[in-house]
Amino acid sequence: MALSCQLGIASEALRHRACHASKATESINVTSSAFALPPTRADKADPAIIGDDDARLAEIDRALVATREDIERRLAEARRVGSDGQDAMDRDIAVYGLVSRQTVLRRFAIDLCLGKIVAADGEVLYIGRTGLVSPEGKRLLIDWRAPAAEPFFAATHQNPMGLVMRRRFRWKLGRVVDFWDEVFDEAALESDVALDDQSAFIRSLGTSRTSQMRDVLGTIQADQDAIIRAGSSDALVVDGGPGTGKTVVALHRAAFLLYADQRISERGGGGVLFVGPNDRYLSYVDDVLPSLGEDSVTIATLRRLTPEGEEAQPEADPRVASLKGSARFEDAIARIVRGYERVPTQEIIVPTSWADIEIEPEDWAEAFEAADDGTAHNDAQGIVWEELLDILTAKVDEMPPHLARRELENHAGLREIFEKVWPMLDPAGLVEALWTSPSLLERAAPWLSATERALLARGKASAWTTADLPLIDAARDLMGDPAATARRRQRDRALVAERERISSVVDYLSDTDEDGEGVSLMLGAADMQERLIDEGALPTLTVDRLAGPFAHVIVDEAQELTDAEWRMLIRRCPSKSFTIVGDRAQARHGFTETWEERLAEVGFTRASVSRLSINYRTPAEVMAEAEPAIRAAIPDANVPSSVRSSGIPVARGPVSSLESVLDAWLADNEDGTACVIGPAVPAERDRVTFMTAAESKGLEFDFVVLLEPASLGDGVEGAVDRYVAMTRATKQLVILEG
């Protein structure tokens, strides 16, 4: 995404977030305390317990006002600076950084503060979504990603990491409505505390869901935090069942790496690509990263990675999807491309104004060698053309070389011959030709049987499917984008013309400058002439941000990826620095290998696996129903253990009762979300979502109604769909049959 576009998006985000921040600030300014504890928490309102926190939160409030004003002033100054070239780029980067900082500080008020930790030596650190310093230079908040903040998330009673106490705040409308203390060394603790019978995380699990993922930064647990802060040099697999916090870990890891890993965060490093399974999922998590103080992560689905993905339909036949998912088709595409780069075996004669020029096979071979092996076919066309012109010009004795080259360069017949020998190729057109030309498919993919070739056959101009996208992407990588190549050539021609124009002007000024000093002397310098080029007048080059390369890729629901889809992602991160999030028991088409074995098949030579086995989301009542459903098909499924109970048993009933079931739940619950999962799609209702089991993967809802579970099918796919559907519920599950 262009920097100007990012600035526009950030500015728009500021307008939307300003309301929240202003309301939160107003609520603090009209009261003497940042705490709004309910009567049931009156015992926690003792000034001996919260007095120091109240004072610190007041300091944070004042510092936020001053910091926002300082950023506004610096932004205004930066935007007034007029410059071009590198100076303009540096200014735009500075403005972008200030806008990003402004977005976070406007998004939150004092609820930037997550809580505090108290060390054994008495040092108290307040942990924030971002760091904050007072105008006097006092450190008020430590960024949650900083090493000093790690004990806030990672300390346990077995390893307190030097802490004697940890306090986590729970915020609502800019006020602290509850907090939880954990004491690691009561004897060493000097301040008063308020102890509860449950930790912050377990208690917060009972809160209602919304259409977007909850902000759970303050409730990250030690096992999750260790994964978040792990190194990024190799592939790391986060394996865990439903409700173990895999997605939460992945999102926080993205924000952490951009903060802490210089290789990833440094300018030009490529940044982080986060890949989710579908658009609904992306909408669900889209608000999380900005709340963590990070808005520069690129978020996409696999289908968004290619232009053709926008209109692509799911592959209806699983047999076809399996065939197209093979990495062998990349070899087939490469074989076709190489067929367009074969040296002609016959001599070719080109008539010119001075004589006929003979192009020998050796001339073509020499020209072809000018392009490096790694250069995409379409991009190499210009390199080979220039080399061929050099070779042919060297053969001319009858006229000056520059005149001979100019004629050859504009020789329509030579150009026509060359473009037949080394044509411009269309990636999507080549993939379409595979499915529409039986003879081409047979030559390019000889391992296919006649039955398999018949399955792959399709009509011209048929809609693309999601299984086609990795193959089009592979073709584009091998060939280059012809449209981008054309734009680049257009710009190069315009740049040459602009340089010639400037050179002619400089020559004219030099001829009229009698003493050869002053302006004409200064303009004679090559670097000065380059500065005179009007970049804005040249054709613009669009950059496909999703093409990469990225410094790190995080992919969720990775257990579903085909070989071709894995290659599609690795092309965007050749270093293979990946965070791979998934659950083998949720693979709809089976996952019999270990993660290490599966990743070795697609090219990862080094990969470590971290497992999450505690289900923080799904009530024990629901898991008791879901576990047998998956173990019937996958006996060794990594089914996590639930740590909470809703007290609501799983209910059953007839499908005909759906409307009354929803009516009753909506009447009894003023907030929260419900989801109906099944083959039928009734009319949309407020706070009720309808989707298939496959679409629900990765999401969570307070109330889930599973329709006709038997209709989801037999075998592994049916068992996985039932398991996924059941485990979306955070409070209550109802199963309707018949």
Side-chain angles (χ1 to χ4, degrees), residues 10 18 70 104 288 380 466 507 534 541 585 640 720:
D70 179 61
V104 175
V288 175
T466 51
D507 289 344
D534 183 4
L541 294 178
V720 167

Side-chain angles (χ1 to χ4, degrees), residues 653-661 707-708 736-738:
V655 172
S656 59
S657 65
L658 174 61
E659 294 299 324
S660 60
V661 167
L707 297 178
E708 300 280 14
L736 302 181
E737 301 174 281

Side-chain angles (χ1 to χ4, degrees), residues 723-735:
Y723 180 58
V724 168
M726 291 179 188
T727 54
R728 299 310 94 194
T730 65
K731 290 184 179 179
Q732 184 180 2
L733 171 66
V734 173
I735 300 175

Side-chain angles (χ1 to χ4, degrees), residues 137-157:
K138 179 181 179 181
R139 174 67 66 180
L140 300 177
L141 288 174
I142 303 295
D143 192 296
W144 71 272
R145 295 165 289 192
E150 185 175 357
F152 182 76
F153 306 98
T156 65
H157 286 276

Side-chain angles (χ1 to χ4, degrees), residues 699-729:
L699 309 181
E700 56 185 41
F701 306 90
D702 299 280
F703 181 60
V704 170
V705 179
L706 175 56
L707 297 178
E708 300 280 14
S711 69
L712 296 176
D714 301 322
V716 171
E717 185 171 332
V720 167
D721 282 350
R722 281 185 286 275
Y723 180 58
V724 168
M726 291 179 188
T727 54
R728 299 310 94 194

